[in-house]
Amino acid sequence: MTDLLERSIHLINNFVSQWTKKYLYYTSYIEETTSGHTFMTVFSLPTPSNPIPVATVKVYFYIPDLTDPSEKTMSFRFENDSLIHLVNRTIRISQMEKWIETILARKDRTCRIMFLGTEFEQTRIINKRMDEVLYEKQPEQEKENLVIQPELLEHDQELVNQFTITEEEKIREIKMLTELLYQCFRQIDKDDMGVISYEEGGQLFLLMGLHLGKHQLEDTLNRLDVSRTGILQFKDISSFGIEILHSIYCQNQALKELREKEEESRFEAQWMLSTDLRNVYKKIVEQCKLKDEDEIHSVNQNVFQQILEEQQFFTEDEIKQIMEIIGQKDVEYQTSDKVLEETIFENLVKGLLEAQRSKMEVFLLEHFKRQDKDNTGLIKINELMIALKNCEKIKLSKVQLYSLQSYIKRNDKDSVNYKQEARKIGAIIKKFFNIDLMEQRSRLPQHTKIDAYIPLKTPEQIQEQIKKVGS
C-alpha cells in the first residue's frame, strides 16, 4: 500500500474513532470513481457467542485528492443511502452510533425472517458488498424457440438494423441498461441484503413497467427461484430483468419509427389537401351564400349537409363525421373551413397509413379478427394474448408476451381495439427479432463493470429513465 493510501486510511480511521467505542471497524481502499477515491469502512460487533458477525454496516468515504487528504474535502454515505454527507455538516458525531445500530437491527431482523431464525444459518451470513453481484458471471440467457416466418416480412433484410452504431456506443448502451437494472434491484432491496422476497419481486417488475397477473407472477417467481429458497438474488433475476429492459428498448424503437412514418404521412396529406380543399371550400361558401337569403352568415345544418353532398368530394363517412362535430345547430359557413379541413386531413392521414400496412400488420389483423365473433373491432386482452401465444408463424418468449401485454392499450372493460393496436404490436414484434438488438441483448448478462458507488435514484427517476430506453 502506498503512503498516500495509508495517510487517507489513517485520516478516515481517526474520524470514525469519534463515532463509537462499541463497534469494531476496518477501512480499506476500493477504487477511483467519479466521486473521487473510494474507501469503505465496515462496522461490526462480534461477541463471544457470535464471533462471526450476523451483519455489518458499510460506510463509503470519498476523498477527491489523495495528495492532500483532509476532513474538509472528505465526504461519505451509508450503504443503500443516496445522501452524501459532508464532515460535521449533516449528522452529529454523537448520533453516529445510533445510526449504525439502526441499520444493524434492520439487517438482523431481515436475516431472522429469511432464515427462520436458525442459529446455524445466521452464523453463515457475512455481508459482502452488494455491488459485487455486478462482477459475478450471470446465468446464461434462457433459450427459447423464438420464430418469425419470413413471409411476414417485407424483404429479406428487414430485420437488419439500418443504423450504424460503433462498438463504443454499444458498450455504453449495455452499461447503461445493466446499471439501470441494478438501480431497480437496489431500490427494492431496502435493507441492502442482496436479496429480495417474492413480494418484492412483484414490486420490482412493476417498477420496470411489467404488469403481471397473479398466476403469471407466481409462475415467473417460481421459475426464477431455482434453489427454492423463497428469496431472489440479483443474479437470479438478471437475465429476466435484462429481457424486460430489452423489450422496453424494442418498444421505444418501434414507436419511434411509427411516429416518424406518421409525420411523413401528415406532411404528404397536408401537401395533397393544400389546393383541392381550398377550391372545394370556395364553392361551399358560394352555395351557402345563395341559401343565406337573410344574410345572417349561417345556414341550417340540413342545408349545409346537402351542399356537402352535392360537391362529390366528401365520402359518406366524412360527411357524417363533419355533421356530428357541428351538432344540432346552424352552421356559420364562413368559419366552417377548420372543421372540414381537420376531418378530411385526419381521414387522409388514416388512409395513407392504411395503404402502408405491412405484411405483419395485415396478418395480425386477420389473426385477431377470428376472436372477434361479433365484428365489434374489440376483443378481450386475454383472448388477444392467447391468440398471440398460439400463433404458429410467430413464437415469442414468455417475457416478450408479458411485455406486450403491459404495453397494449385497453379500455376500462379490459378490451382491446385490435384494429388500432395491430400496427404497434407488429412493429414491436419485428424489433424483438432485429439482429442488432438481439446481439446486444445477448451481451447484457455478461461481465459489465460499472461505477457501483453512484447515488441511488428515486423510483420516479428510474421510471423516467426506463421510458427513455432506446428512444
Side-chain angles (χ1 to χ4, degrees):
M1 185 180 295
T2 66
D3 290 342
L4 292 176
L5 290 178
E6 286 182 351
R7 285 173 56 196
S8 300
I9 290 175
H10 182 68
L11 172 70
I12 294 170
N13 284 337
N14 280 344
F15 177 55
V16 299
S17 66
Q18 306 169 53
W19 292 11
T20 178
K21 301 298 182 183
K22 178 179 179 181
Y23 292 94
L24 298 180
Y25 54 86
Y26 174 78
T27 303
S28 59
Y29 178 68
I30 304 300
E31 61 185 354
E32 184 177 3
T33 70
T34 54
S35 303
H37 294 271
T38 305
F39 298 79
M40 180 174 67
T41 301
V42 181
F43 292 86
S44 63
L45 187 60
T47 63
S49 58
N50 284 304
I52 299 177
V54 171
T56 60
V57 174
K58 301 180 286 293
V59 182
Y60 299 110
F61 286 87
Y62 307 101
I63 297 179
D65 185 6
L66 292 184
T67 59
D68 184 27
S70 69
E71 286 192 5
K72 292 182 179 179
T73 60
M74 185 168 64
S75 59
F76 64 95
R77 73 171 177 86
F78 286 87
E79 57 181 272
N80 206 28
D81 187 352
S82 60
L83 182 62
I84 301 293
H85 302 274
L86 301 177
V87 175
N88 298 325
R89 289 283 183 90
T90 50
I91 306 177
R92 294 180 181 178
I93 296 295
S94 60
Q95 297 295 314
M96 291 299 187
E97 192 167 275
K98 290 183 179 179
W99 198 285
I100 294 170
E101 285 178 348
T102 300
I103 297 174
L104 278 177
R106 190 175 62 210
K107 285 191 171 187
D108 182 47
R109 184 171 62 255
T110 304
C111 293
R112 292 178 188 278
I113 293 171
M114 288 187 338
F115 298 107
L116 304 178
T118 61
E119 189 67 26
F120 171 70
E121 291 291 355
Q122 284 189 48
T123 60
R124 296 171 61 189
I125 300 175
I126 303 176
N127 253 334
K128 296 181 179 179
R129 283 191 307 129
M130 169 62 193
D131 306 321
E132 289 176 357
V133 298
L134 290 172
Y135 309 124
E136 296 177 7
K137 183 170 177 57
Q138 306 300 340
E140 291 295 322
Q141 194 80 23
E142 182 180 351
K143 298 293 187 295
E144 296 190 59
N145 186 28
L146 308 181
V147 174
I148 183 171
Q149 294 290 346
E151 65 211 62
L152 300 181
L153 306 176
E154 307 305 307
H155 51 81
D156 293 339
Q157 294 296 306
E158 187 178 7
L159 300 184
V160 178
N161 198 320
Q162 301 298 315
F163 302 97
T164 56
I165 182 170
T166 65
E167 190 65 20
E168 184 179 348
E169 288 172 327
K170 281 186 181 180
I171 292 172
R172 187 159 56 245
E173 286 189 350
I174 289 170
K175 178 179 176 180
M176 182 270 293
L177 291 177
T178 307
E179 180 182 314
L180 180 55
L181 179 61
Y182 176 69
Q183 286 276 7
C184 291
F185 188 88
R186 288 291 299 273
Q187 182 62 46
I188 301 301
D189 179 23
K190 297 294 186 184
D191 293 322
D192 195 34
M193 295 300 296
V195 295
I196 58 176
S197 65
Y198 274 20
E199 182 182 353
E200 290 172 326
Q203 295 171 15
L204 174 65
F205 301 148
L206 281 175
L207 178 62
M208 298 173 72
L210 188 68
H211 299 266
L212 299 177
K214 181 181 178 182
H215 297 300
Q216 292 174 341
L217 181 59
E218 289 176 355
D219 172 65
T220 300
L221 293 172
N222 287 328
R223 192 154 53 93
L224 295 177
D225 184 15
V226 180
S227 57
R228 296 292 181 268
T229 58
I231 56 175
L232 299 168
Q233 299 180 51
F234 181 83
K235 65 181 180 180
D236 295 330
I237 61 96
S238 61
S239 291
F240 186 84
I242 282 161
E243 193 170 357
I244 295 173
L245 291 179
H246 177 259
S247 71
I248 294 170
Y249 192 107
C250 291
Q251 180 209 15
N252 291 344
Q253 286 274 300
L255 296 184
K256 180 181 178 183
E257 289 185 8
L258 289 180
R259 283 195 299 270
E260 290 172 353
K261 287 182 180 178
E262 186 172 338
E263 285 301 316
E264 290 175 6
S265 297
R266 287 184 171 277
F267 179 80
E268 187 177 350
Q270 194 69 52
W271 177 77
M272 293 169 67
L273 275 179
S274 57
T275 304
D276 292 346
L277 186 60
R278 194 177 300 119
N279 292 333
V280 171
Y281 180 64
K282 284 181 181 178
K283 293 179 182 178
I284 292 172
V285 172
E286 289 172 3
Q287 291 295 318
C288 288
K289 283 181 178 179
L290 293 175
K291 301 288 184 180
D292 182 16
E293 297 176 354
D294 297 330
E295 297 184 0
I296 58 175
H297 305 295
S298 65
V299 294
N300 180 273
Q301 45 142 349
N302 293 328
V303 172
F304 188 74
Q305 181 174 341
Q306 184 180 352
I307 293 172
L308 292 182
E309 292 169 350
E310 290 171 355
Q311 301 306 310
Q312 296 183 341
F313 180 81
F314 306 98
T315 66
E316 270 186 48
D317 287 339
E318 286 171 344
I319 292 174
K320 184 179 177 182
Q321 287 176 358
I322 291 168
M323 298 314 298
E324 283 177 354
I325 294 172
I326 290 172
Q328 301 293 324
K329 59 183 180 181
D330 290 344
V331 181
E332 296 180 1
Y333 52 85
Q334 289 184 324
T335 58
S336 62
D337 56 332
K338 187 175 181 182
V339 174
L340 298 176
E341 184 174 351
E342 287 181 356
T343 304
I344 305 305
F345 177 72
E346 291 302 327
N347 283 336
L348 190 53
V349 171
K350 184 179 178 182
L352 288 171
L353 290 173
E354 287 180 355
Q356 298 171 9
R357 278 179 178 167
S358 65
K359 293 178 181 179
M360 172 72 81
E361 183 181 355
V362 172
F363 168 77
L364 289 174
L365 282 170
E366 290 299 317
H367 189 64
F368 295 147
K369 191 174 182 180
R370 296 172 198 152
Q371 309 296 320
D372 184 13
K373 307 298 182 185
D374 300 326
N375 197 28
T376 61
L378 299 172
I379 56 176
K380 292 289 186 183
I381 181 67
N382 291 341
E383 294 174 349
L384 185 141
M385 296 313 300
I386 290 171
L388 272 178
K389 183 180 179 182
N390 297 333
C391 181
E392 292 297 325
K393 293 187 178 182
I394 308 169
K395 290 294 182 184
L396 303 175
S397 71
K398 277 192 174 183
V399 179
Q400 290 169 346
L401 286 168
Y402 291 162
S403 298
L404 277 173
Q405 178 181 301
S406 296
Y407 306 148
I408 294 171
K409 187 178 179 181
R410 75 287 303 263
N411 61 22
D412 54 1
K413 294 181 179 178
D414 240 14
S415 293
V416 178
N417 185 332
Y418 63 89
K419 293 181 180 179
Q420 291 181 357
E421 293 297 292
R423 186 178 183 84
K424 179 172 74 174
I425 295 170
I428 295 173
I429 287 174
K430 283 185 182 179
K431 285 296 176 184
F432 285 150
F433 293 89
N434 181 287
I435 294 173
D436 187 72
L437 295 186
M438 290 177 75
E439 185 271 339
Q440 183 167 316
R441 169 190 145 187
S442 68
R443 295 174 58 183
L444 278 170
Q446 297 177 7
H447 175 85
T448 306
K449 187 178 170 100
I450 66 171
D451 182 359
Y453 303 95
I454 56 172
L456 290 177
K457 297 180 183 295
T458 64
E460 292 74 24
Q461 289 173 324
I462 289 173
Q463 288 176 336
E464 188 62 31
Q465 191 174 355
I466 286 174
K467 288 178 185 176
K468 295 178 181 177
V469 169
S471 297

